[in-house]
Amino acid sequence: MRPSLQSPTAIATACLAACLVACGERAPAPPQERTPGEPTAAGVDLAESERRAMAAEGVLKGIARQIVAGDAPLPELEAFAAPFAGSVGPTRHSEVHIFDIANRESTFTTAASIECKAQLAGGGWRAVVSTLHASWSLPADGGAPELESCTPGDAPQVATSPAPWFSERTGEVIGGEPAFHHHLARGLDHWLARVEAAHGIDAFIRNGMALGDADGDGRDDLYVCQPGGLPNRLLLHLPDGTVAEAPDDAGADILDHTSAALFVDLDNDGDQDLALATPAGIVLLENDGAAKFSPRGTLRTDSSDCHALAAADYDLDGHLDLYVTFALGDRLPGEEAGAFRFHDARDGGHNQLFRGDGGWSFSEATARSGLAEDDGRHSLAAAWGDFDRDGDPDLYVANDYGPNQLYRNDGGTFAEVAAGLGAQDYGAGMSAAWGDFDRDGRTDLYVGNMFSNAGHRVTAQAPFLAGAPDGLLAVYRRFAKGNTLLRQRRDGTFAEIGGATEMGRWAWSSLFADLDNDGWEDLFVANGYITGPQKDDL
């Protein structure tokens, strides 16, 4: 845990609230008994509240398994369960997570999100996302809570489809590639036991990938970044739809830890070059047009914990420029760590803008372009987009542990305008994507954060951050809220749109894409976290 201006107890509780995540979650409306944050029964501390919640959640999980099998354990749930009657057993999936709890001395109530999906007996698939409101009593002997009533929430979200939108094709596409079996198919735990940490591999390492046409055959190829000590992999897309690793002399299989990569034409010759984020800097590889890469230099960076690369021609001079984000700053042993606050950290790395000058030459332009304003945060992602439609690209930066930034480009000079335009957001910013989801001609914004049912539940309890300064509790509750969809108004400001788009689970990356070819941009969110053989592993 980094140093903080909050007490250790407050920070530990905040981490529980903002970081504990359960899969299959959604943020429905709270139960009618109270509003989140209303004081609960005196004497029920957070530990006891969580004990009750976990015991109740176990009972509700069993009920969900019955529902998705078409069996209603209670009369109130018959309408919910009936459509799943005769569903195909191996396709059944259910999740239940309590997001709100109201405690009394010997009773309590809960509100839980429930998600059920399965292939139906008559064909087709059905998925339902709703809520379960339950009341519970506590036996005098201190035993497990007893369920008194359980009713579904109003207006559940129901989705049906004659067939799944996606199918698993990993074995068919990459199963014949030896590198998949002896390298990529093995988990991180396997390599942690075999690669020395000095190479830059650890349990919390983060590595990206890039998609682009490396060999100029009109098919997108895949570049997979790896931890230090393991080679990056360039997988070429073959005419039959499978992939095969590029030849040894392709020049792209570097062993440096690589956190991010971009396929991008850096020399304006019409093919896709590579920019790679490594601890030593941004490695530039020139493509000869046939997937053979040659090193053209390294852009030296001020920090080593690079997270994202974003390319655009910000000054409209015809040469692409590179923006690099950093999470952690680099400090010498014993050096003062600076002011880390869980909700407003300013001890991160310093993001950098490298202006392309042509001929594989780049100039460091962060300060003179205005992008050093309000810098030093834990920046995990950046996205270029001309939100004000003036012809030059603007920049949005998503930050962990605090507010995000929107830099408006005014002819090559940037001004930070997020707060004034309502685009700041506040949370564990993991990703950002521009898109026009409502087709009104104005660019909207989607930001990936973290959604946590545990966070919703814990931060609503009276003991949580008791005595905190005004406004701080609301910020900590927002950290558990999930993703943020910002709709651009006609006046250029942004309004937050709540609802289903918030629940992206522990989101890492997100993008707008028309997945069903109906002309409307959908949202795709990559999520998850490190797991392992332990059943209680986060």
Side-chain angles (χ1 to χ4, degrees), residues 6 38 162 398:
Q6 303 297 324
E38 180 182 336

Side-chain angles (χ1 to χ4, degrees), residues 285-519:
L285 300 178
E286 181 182 8
N287 189 352
D288 69 353
K292 190 170 183 178
F293 293 86
S294 303
R296 293 305 303 257
T298 299
L299 304 179
R300 301 299 178 183
T301 55
D302 295 336
S303 303
S304 61
D305 189 29
C306 172
H307 267 254
L309 296 168
D313 183 8
Y314 85 93
D315 54 0
L316 307 182
D317 66 351
H319 302 293
L320 283 178
D321 314 299
L322 288 173
Y323 185 75
V324 189
T325 72
F326 300 89
L328 301 178
D330 296 318
R331 301 181 183 84
L332 298 175
E335 186 179 356
E336 176 60 37
F340 174 82
R341 300 191 185 195
F342 188 87
H343 66 288
D344 191 15
R346 295 176 180 268
D347 64 334
H350 296 285
N351 301 338
Q352 291 183 264
L353 174 67
F354 292 94
R355 189 188 71 188
D357 299 322
W360 292 96
S361 175
F362 289 83
S363 302
E364 218 287 347
T366 314
R368 68 175 180 266
S369 68
L371 287 177
E373 180 183 354
D374 199 26
D375 198 11
R377 298 191 179 274
H378 294 235
S379 301
L380 302 187
W384 294 97
D386 184 12
F387 83 93
D388 55 0
R389 297 183 290 181
D390 65 351
D392 52 28
D394 310 297
L395 182 66
Y396 193 84
V397 181
N399 299 313
D400 201 356
Y401 303 116
N404 300 331
Q405 296 140 326
L406 173 58
Y407 293 97
R408 187 186 63 220
N409 188 350
D410 298 320
T413 303
F414 294 89
E416 208 288 296
V417 296
L421 296 183
Q424 192 171 44
D425 200 20
Y426 222 113
M430 301 287 182
S431 63
W434 295 100
D436 183 9
F437 79 91
D438 54 0
R439 299 200 305 192
D440 66 352
R442 292 180 290 275
T443 307
D444 311 304
L445 182 65
Y446 189 66
V447 183
N449 292 302
M450 294 188 300
F451 176 84
S452 171
N453 276 309
H456 281 273
R457 186 174 67 239
V458 172
T459 57
Q461 299 301 300
F464 177 77
L465 288 187
D470 291 344
L472 183 60
L473 182 57
V475 170
Y476 274 66
R477 286 176 180 160
R478 187 175 178 88
F479 266 79
K481 176 190 73 68
N483 297 349
T484 300
L485 177 60
L486 297 170
R487 177 181 178 272
Q488 188 179 170
R489 301 185 180 103
R490 291 189 176 185
D491 62 0
T493 62
F494 291 83
E496 184 173 345
I497 307 297
T501 56
E502 292 183 347
M503 203 294 289
R505 302 186 175 113
W506 192 305
W508 291 102
S509 184
S510 53
L511 58 86
F512 284 101
D514 184 6
L515 298 175
D516 54 358
N517 293 326
D518 66 352

Side-chain angles (χ1 to χ4, degrees), residues 5-379:
L5 299 185
Q6 303 297 324
S7 70
T9 301
I11 286 297
T13 307
C15 286
L16 171 68
C19 297
L20 285 182
V21 166
C23 293
E25 302 144 319
R26 186 173 177 272
Q32 297 299 316
E33 290 85 358
R34 67 184 181 91
T35 57
E38 180 182 336
T40 54
V44 180
D45 60 16
L46 286 175
E48 169 61 15
S49 178
E50 284 298 280
R51 186 193 70 81
R52 296 179 179 186
M54 292 300 97
E57 195 170 272
V59 175
L60 295 178
K61 286 180 181 292
I63 289 176
R65 288 192 291 270
Q66 290 180 270
I67 289 175
V68 79
D71 180 18
L74 297 171
E76 295 84 355
L77 300 175
E78 288 181 357
F80 199 140
F84 288 104
S87 61
V88 180
T91 69
R92 295 171 185 162
H93 177 82
S94 63
E95 293 281 352
V96 171
H97 300 284
I98 292 175
F99 67 87
D100 198 33
I101 182 169
N103 292 292
R104 307 288 187 273
E105 183 177 352
S106 59
T107 63
F108 64 96
T109 61
T110 60
S113 57
I114 177 173
E115 178 181 311
C116 296
K117 58 184 177 183
Q119 185 178 10
L120 304 181
W125 294 71
R126 178 181 178 86
V128 180
V129 178
S130 186
T131 57
L132 291 178
H133 300 294
S135 59
W136 309 80
S137 61
L138 295 168
D141 62 2
E146 297 177 355
L147 180 64
E148 299 294 332
S149 67
C150 183
T151 58
D154 297 331
Q157 290 188 338
V158 181
T160 60
S161 176
W165 281 13
F166 296 92
S167 59
E168 173 62 51
R169 301 284 296 277
T170 307
E172 179 182 342
V173 172
I174 198 173
E177 171 52 53
F180 174 72
H181 296 284
H182 69 247
H183 178 185
L184 298 176
R186 300 181 184 273
L188 184 60
D189 286 346
H190 175 88
W191 296 112
L192 284 170
R194 291 162 173 80
V195 179
E196 294 182 358
H199 292 291
I201 186 173
D202 64 50
F204 296 95
I205 210 71
R206 301 159 301 272
N207 303 96
M209 59 178 59
L211 197 68
D213 185 5
D215 53 7
D217 64 357
R219 292 182 295 270
D220 280 334
D221 308 303
L222 182 65
Y223 189 77
V224 182
C225 305
Q226 291 293 294
L230 295 171
N232 294 345
R233 302 286 184 179
L234 173 58
L235 302 173
L236 301 178
H237 190 174
L238 303 181
D240 64 359
T242 64
V243 298
E245 186 167 20
D248 292 341
D249 62 355
D253 55 346
I254 70 170
L255 289 169
D256 303 68
H257 165 67
T258 307
S259 53
L262 273 182
F263 274 117
V264 63
D265 186 6
L266 293 172
D267 53 4
N268 290 335
D269 66 351
D271 55 32
Q272 299 289 289
D273 307 303
L274 272 172
L276 309 178
T278 76
I282 309 306
V283 175
L284 305 178
L285 300 178
E286 181 182 8
N287 189 352
D288 69 353
K292 190 170 183 178
F293 293 86
S294 303
R296 293 305 303 257
T298 299
L299 304 179
R300 301 299 178 183
T301 55
D302 295 336
S303 303
S304 61
D305 189 29
C306 172
H307 267 254
L309 296 168
D313 183 8
Y314 85 93
D315 54 0
L316 307 182
D317 66 351
H319 302 293
L320 283 178
D321 314 299
L322 288 173
Y323 185 75
V324 189
T325 72
F326 300 89
L328 301 178
D330 296 318
R331 301 181 183 84
L332 298 175
E335 186 179 356
E336 176 60 37
F340 174 82
R341 300 191 185 195
F342 188 87
H343 66 288
D344 191 15
R346 295 176 180 268
D347 64 334
H350 296 285
N351 301 338
Q352 291 183 264
L353 174 67
F354 292 94
R355 189 188 71 188
D357 299 322
W360 292 96
S361 175
F362 289 83
S363 302
E364 218 287 347
T366 314
R368 68 175 180 266
S369 68
L371 287 177
E373 180 183 354
D374 199 26
D375 198 11
R377 298 191 179 274
H378 294 235
S379 301

